[in-house]
Each structure stands twice: as structure tokens, then as C-alpha cells.
Amino acid sequence: VTPPDLSAETILITAGPTREELDPVRYLTNHSSGRMGYELARAARNRGARVVLVSGPTDLPPPAGVSLFRVTTAQQMRDTVLEQVASCSIVIKAAAVADYRPMLRSGEKLKKHEHRLTIELEKNPDILAELGALQNRPFLVGFAAETTDLRTHALAKLQAKNLDMIVANDVSQVGAGFNVATNIVRLIRRDGHEEQLELMSKELLAHIILDRIQESRQRAV
Ligand code: C5P
């Protein structure tokens, strides 16, 4: 039985990959399944929060009772998040946002002619960094999927994006990261709290992340 300890909160959660189109039939994306974000949305809802779930393309059934906004590209995710954020006390950015998008999107299917094809990419907006720069920012939680120097990179992101907490996972480990039901993470908070968690289900991890958010906010009061 979960207590409704988040019933005063509106929590915005982003989940899944984004998809950056090259032409009407092709796109760039990554291996994110959306599972971590969907487990967070379900856990937060079960604990009484109002949940706004902004989801990139996934095959997962959305949890009942959450406000779901489906988006495709990073730019759409950014626009939706910025529209919704004013009503939210906590934002958890579990989405694997594509860092780059093709400079040009062809209206027609690209034809094969040459031996080599060069595609120019331009940078997508960093949604989390934009949220970190807001005057009145919500409690901000980011994710960091890394393959090397996990702690160093995660700490740098926490600082650079002005976050309250970061969930760092080494996606090169078996049982961690993309497209599996489990994860192995290190939680690092701005207030100095830091802990390495064992391999566990994303469902249990979602609850621990919410617990640590609550603890941090209660300390700050
Ligand atoms: O891609 P990066 O490792 O910088 O991602 C760290 C955090 O920033 C994640 O929580 C991710 O959702 C977020 N992010 C974002 N917009 C981007 C890239 C990443 O909000 N364009």
C-alpha cells in the first residue's frame, strides 16, 4: 500500500526517445523504450500526484489517470514542456532527447544516387538546461546515461543544467539503461546526498527516486 504522500504535487515527467525526421520514411533516434519515465509516472500517480507525462514515441500503454501529451521531435517536446511547466512543482526528465536533428527535412523520400551521402545535423534545444535557467524553477531531476566516468559526467551535468538531483546510469552494464526492466544507478543530489543503488526493477527505482525528491524538498523547507 502506497501512502498518498505526493497529493499536493503536480509532477511533469518526460519519457522515451525523440525522433528526428530526415524524410517522410526515415528518422534518427536512440534505444530509449520509455520504461523508466512510465514507471515514474505510474508510481507518482499511485502516490497521489497529478502527473503530466510528455512522451516521445513508445509502444508502452500509458498509465491511466495521467495527462498524456504525445510528441515526436525534441522541439515538440520542448514546446510542450515549456507550456506545462508553470503548473508543476517537480520535473523529472527521463526522456532520451536526441541531441541533434537533420538541418534539412526532405519533403520527398531521399533517393539513392551517390556512394556517399552526407547529412548535416544541427543541435536541438537542451530542454533541461532551459528549465534550469527559469526564474521560478521547479524541483529539477535529470538523468545521465553514460558509458564512461559516470560520476564525473553526472556531476558536471548537475552543475551545468542547474539541477536538484541527477540519476546517473552506466548504460554499458548488463541490466542497466535502455530497453530493459531493470536499472543500476547512482543518485546525486545538489544538497550533497549521494548513493549507489544495486540492480533493481525500474518500478522500485521509481519509488526510491520519488522518496529522495521528497526528502530533499522537506530538508529545504
Ligand atoms: O543528453 P544529456 O546527457 O545531456 O541528458 C541529461 C539530461 O538532460 C536528461 O535528463 C535529458 O532528458 C535532458 N536533456 C534535455 N534536452 C536535451 C538533451 C538532454 O532535456 N536536448
Side-chain angles (χ1 to χ4, degrees), residues 132-148:
L134 290 176
Q135 282 262 312
N136 213 343
R137 67 177 187 59
F139 189 95
L140 279 183
V141 183
F143 276 70
E146 307 291 347
T147 53
T148 56

Side-chain angles (χ1 to χ4, degrees), residues 27 41 57 71 95 98 110 126 168 178 217:
Y27 53 82
V71 297
L110 295 169
D126 190 315
F178 295 124
R217 293 175 82 233

Side-chain angles (χ1 to χ4, degrees), residues 29-184:
T29 190
N30 58 61
H31 288 298
S32 170
S33 63
R35 283 181 194 223
M36 191 65 242
Y38 278 56
E39 290 297 350
L40 281 160
R42 189 171 291 112
R45 178 210 60 193
N46 289 346
R47 290 165 68 159
R50 194 172 87 78
V51 175
V52 177
L53 177 60
V54 181
S55 177
T58 79
D59 294 331
L60 301 174
V66 310
S67 302
L68 175 68
F69 292 84
R70 288 188 194 276
V71 297
T72 304
T73 65
Q75 282 184 308
Q76 290 166 356
M77 183 173 280
R78 171 192 176 274
D79 292 346
T80 306
V81 167
L82 289 180
E83 272 164 31
Q84 297 298 319
V85 70
S87 62
C88 299
S89 47
I90 299 166
V91 174
I92 310 176
K93 287 233 61 216
V97 183
D99 291 323
Y100 292 90
R101 63 173 178 270
M103 290 273 283
L104 299 173
R105 180 186 178 282
S106 165
E108 308 288 328
K109 184 181 170 193
L110 295 169
K111 291 290 170 205
K112 49 174 175 281
H113 297 296
E114 315 293 338
H115 279 303
R116 290 184 179 196
L117 172 67
T118 303
I119 298 167
E120 244 188 303
L121 303 177
E122 66 186 322
K123 221 168 188 177
N124 269 326
D126 190 315
I127 306 167
L128 198 45
E130 279 191 56
L131 296 177
L134 290 176
Q135 282 262 312
N136 213 343
R137 67 177 187 59
F139 189 95
L140 279 183
V141 183
F143 276 70
E146 307 291 347
T147 53
T148 56
D149 300 317
L150 181 72
R151 183 167 180 274
T152 310
H153 286 133
L155 276 170
K157 283 178 191 176
L158 181 89
Q159 300 279 336
K161 302 193 191 202
N162 196 23
L163 309 181
D164 297 291
M165 179 165 129
I166 193 150
V167 183
N169 64 329
D170 181 345
V171 291
S172 65
Q173 281 183 274
V174 176
F178 295 124
N179 235 326
V180 289
T182 55
N183 213 343
I184 308 168

Side-chain angles (χ1 to χ4, degrees), residues 5-6 47 165 189 204-218:
D5 62 334
L6 294 169
R47 290 165 68 159
M165 179 165 129
R189 280 192 332 219
L204 177 58
L205 177 59
H207 280 285
I208 293 177
I209 291 170
L210 294 172
D211 290 345
R212 295 299 174 270
I213 293 172
Q214 283 288 69
E215 285 165 21
S216 179
R217 293 175 82 233
Q218 276 153 10

